[in-house]
Amino acid sequence: MDDCIVIKFGGGLITDKSTMCTPNNEVIDSLVNVVADCLEHNLRVIVVHGAGSFGHLRAKYWKLNQGYLPDYDFAPQDDCQTQEEAVSLVRKEMLTLNQIVLDAFSKSGIDTYKLPPHEWARNTGSDFEGDIIHLFQQNNLVGITFGDVVDCDEGVFGILSGDDLVVRICQDIPNVKRLIFAVKGVDGILKRPPELADESDLIKRWSPSIEYSGVHNSEIDVTGGIGLKAIRGSEVAAGGVDVFIINGEEPQRLLDACKGISTRGTQIFAD
Ligand code: IP8
């Protein structure tokens, strides 16, 4: 059986986060090229992508991460009056972004299959319910899933982050060797905020006891930024998978990390 790698395309990397529903096609194409190279090297690849400006802005406004809030006094938007409408709009936005990603793969001649979580997953956090092993069976194609609004036992609905999905994919799919978080604007986990950091502030080996500077744009994001990646990454590393955070705008680094070649970035350890 071929070795499998799981790549998370950060939402902030594949979209312009400051403007509603704007993809960054150039970055998406460059990530697809990296995947193409991995396939040529006989790696099986599973892709999980984030939401960026396709999900977070509206999900944040309607507090979808807090579940159903019948008593909260939301000011209606022009195109959305209620939380229930926001749930279906965010799901639609995520399907649109997913289609953009799928189209980029098919343009490069790579066959994929899509697995929208609201159709098969329930509850949030890395212990969500979902039959990963059966859903991701077609190991000759690239399986693609993404952060989404899912139905929940408590609170009616909630946000299942791509950072939660990767944990279970790495744990449940046999033969996953590496998990790569491709992120925007940083080379990995930093000791100081990115605007103050220099080259020497990259933490090359991180485990939960090491202090770091967490960038989390809570004005925009409903999920957890680099901090969630770090924690989820260490859960995955505990199972023997090599986990890296890599600057997604550096395709050669990404490719090296995917192939297991040492490169600039942060490797995450369990402890
Ligand atoms: O960007 C968030 O997924 P993430 C999903 O992977 C939504 O954390 C719909 C905001």
Side-chain angles (χ1 to χ4, degrees):
M1 190 187 296
D2 287 341
D3 286 350
C4 179
I5 56 165
V6 178
I7 312 180
K8 165 87 194 285
F9 294 179
L13 177 68
I14 62 169
T15 71
D16 173 355
K17 254 187 156 170
S18 58
T19 323
M20 277 282 248
C21 298
T22 313
N24 188 333
N25 292 308
E26 213 176 299
V27 169
I28 295 172
D29 288 344
S30 114
L31 295 171
V32 168
N33 286 338
V34 170
V35 173
D37 212 317
C38 292
L39 297 173
E40 275 166 27
H41 283 82
N42 296 324
L43 290 165
R44 176 187 175 194
V45 182
I46 293 175
V47 171
V48 179
H49 66 78
S53 63
F54 281 75
H56 283 281
L57 295 169
R58 198 186 294 278
K60 177 86 194 169
Y61 184 87
W62 291 96
K63 299 185 187 295
L64 301 187
N65 55 321
Q66 294 179 32
Y68 181 46
L69 301 173
D71 299 327
Y72 193 92
D73 192 16
F74 289 101
Q77 293 175 307
D78 284 349
D79 57 349
C80 181
Q81 316 293 312
T82 63
Q83 267 196 315
E84 289 92 328
E85 262 177 60
V87 167
S88 69
L89 282 171
V90 170
R91 284 176 175 163
K92 260 195 210 144
E93 286 170 9
M94 289 312 299
L95 287 170
T96 304
L97 176 59
N98 184 238
Q99 194 57 52
I100 292 167
V101 173
L102 294 168
D103 288 347
F105 276 100
S106 89
K107 208 172 66 188
S108 290
I110 298 172
D111 293 326
T112 57
Y113 58 98
K114 64 169 173 179
L115 293 165
H118 67 262
E119 293 175 1
W120 58 270
R122 192 170 176 85
N123 297 329
T124 58
S126 52
D127 57 351
F128 69 91
E129 278 170 35
D131 190 1
I132 305 267
I133 197 138
H134 287 109
L135 289 159
F136 287 86
Q137 243 174 6
Q138 293 166 270
N139 50 12
N140 51 338
L141 308 180
V142 176
I144 305 189
T145 189
F146 50 86
D148 203 358
V149 188
V150 295
D151 294 341
C152 291
D153 297 337
E154 272 173 47
V156 188
F157 50 77
I159 302 282
L160 179 61
S161 171
D163 297 341
D164 294 322
L165 284 156
V166 293
V167 175
R168 286 284 302 291
I169 293 171
C170 290
Q171 289 170 345
D172 293 3
I173 302 281
N175 235 27
V176 174
K177 295 291 180 220
R178 287 177 285 282
L179 164 64
I180 318 290
F181 291 98
V183 298
K184 163 124 181 150
V186 283
D187 287 349
I189 302 181
L190 306 177
K191 291 182 202 141
R192 301 200 292 161
E195 60 282 7
L196 302 176
D198 62 31
E199 299 252 303
S200 66
D201 288 314
L202 176 69
I203 300 172
K204 293 189 175 146
R205 297 166 61 90
W206 183 85
S207 56
S209 59
I210 297 176
E211 273 187 44
Y212 67 103
S213 166
V215 188
H216 179 207
N217 195 344
S218 52
E219 293 295 304
I220 298 175
D221 285 356
V222 285
T223 51
I226 206 109
L228 184 61
K229 290 175 198 3
I231 294 302
R232 294 296 183 248
S234 68
E235 280 177 51
V236 172
V241 173
D242 290 339
V243 182
F244 302 89
I245 297 183
I246 302 286
N247 186 334
E249 289 168 307
E250 296 286 346
Q252 188 60 47
R253 288 183 202 167
L254 216 48
L255 186 57
D256 285 343
C258 289
K259 290 187 194 158
I261 298 169
S262 165
T263 189
R264 185 169 173 82
T266 298
Q267 181 164 4
I268 297 180
F269 294 88
D271 49 55

